[in-house]
Amino acid sequence: QVQLVESGGGLVQAGGSLRLSCATSGRTFSSSGMAWFRQAPGKEREFVATINRSGVTTAYADSVKGRFTISRDNVKNTLYLQMNSLKPEDTALYYCAARSYNGAFTTSAGYDFWGQGTQVTVAS
């Protein structure tokens, strides 16, 4: 059974930074494409960033490009999301997602395993 556990969320002022982590277990992390998604109250879940198994290929939503950085540590089996210059519209529940195989996909249908989420709240 694959387990994904997010951490690092919290309350931050606009313009601040947070670093999210996603610890994985139960499968070979280094073989999986990974991603972050988010869901704000009353809105659909949306893509944030994705990374392939080697970390060479990444992609970002236009709304976070230049502010967020996705990375991974295949020794620690952990996925990260560095979030800088945070805005109130970044407020959401952030989810970590994993594929059964390699690949960097921007749609939720491309992912087989999901974490429970970590809350990010950006105050104006």
Side-chain angles (χ1 to χ4, degrees), residues 28 45 52 71 82 108 119:
T28 305
R45 187 175 298 185
N52 75 333
S71 63
Q82 178 66 43
S108 59
Q119 179 67 39

Side-chain angles (χ1 to χ4, degrees), residues 12-20 38 48 60 62-70 80-91 94 120 122:
V12 64
Q13 294 293 316
S17 298
L18 283 174
R19 188 194 196 200
L20 305 184
R38 67 186 182 186
V48 175
Y60 297 89
D62 288 342
S63 59
V64 306
K65 202 171 293 183
R67 300 188 298 122
F68 290 11
T69 302
I70 189 171
Y80 302 101
L81 185 69
Q82 178 66 43
M83 306 186 296
N84 299 328
S85 302
L86 283 161
K87 304 175 181 180
E89 50 264 43
D90 294 319
T91 295
Y94 282 71
V120 172
V122 184

Side-chain angles (χ1 to χ4, degrees), residues 28-68:
T28 305
F29 176 77
S30 60
S31 66
S32 301
M34 303 287 296
W36 290 97
F37 288 77
R38 67 186 182 186
Q39 187 168 17
K43 296 187 177 181
E44 294 186 352
R45 187 175 298 185
E46 66 174 0
F47 165 75
V48 175
T50 183
I51 188 168
N52 75 333
R53 64 182 180 183
S54 67
V56 171
T57 301
T58 60
Y60 297 89
D62 288 342
S63 59
V64 306
K65 202 171 293 183
R67 300 188 298 122
F68 290 11

Side-chain angles (χ1 to χ4, degrees), residues 1-2 10-11 16 19 35 45 54 67 72-73 79-80 88 95:
Q1 184 69 19
V2 176
L11 173 64
R19 188 194 196 200
R45 187 175 298 185
S54 67
R67 300 188 298 122
R72 63 191 297 159
D73 186 328
L79 178 72
Y80 302 101
Y95 296 93

Side-chain angles (χ1 to χ4, degrees), residues 92-120:
L93 189 61
Y94 282 71
Y95 296 93
C96 170
R99 287 176 48 79
S100 295
Y101 305 100
N102 191 22
F105 285 71
T106 62
T107 59
S108 59
Y111 295 87
D112 305 296
F113 308 102
W114 295 82
Q116 294 299 307
T118 184
Q119 179 67 39
V120 172

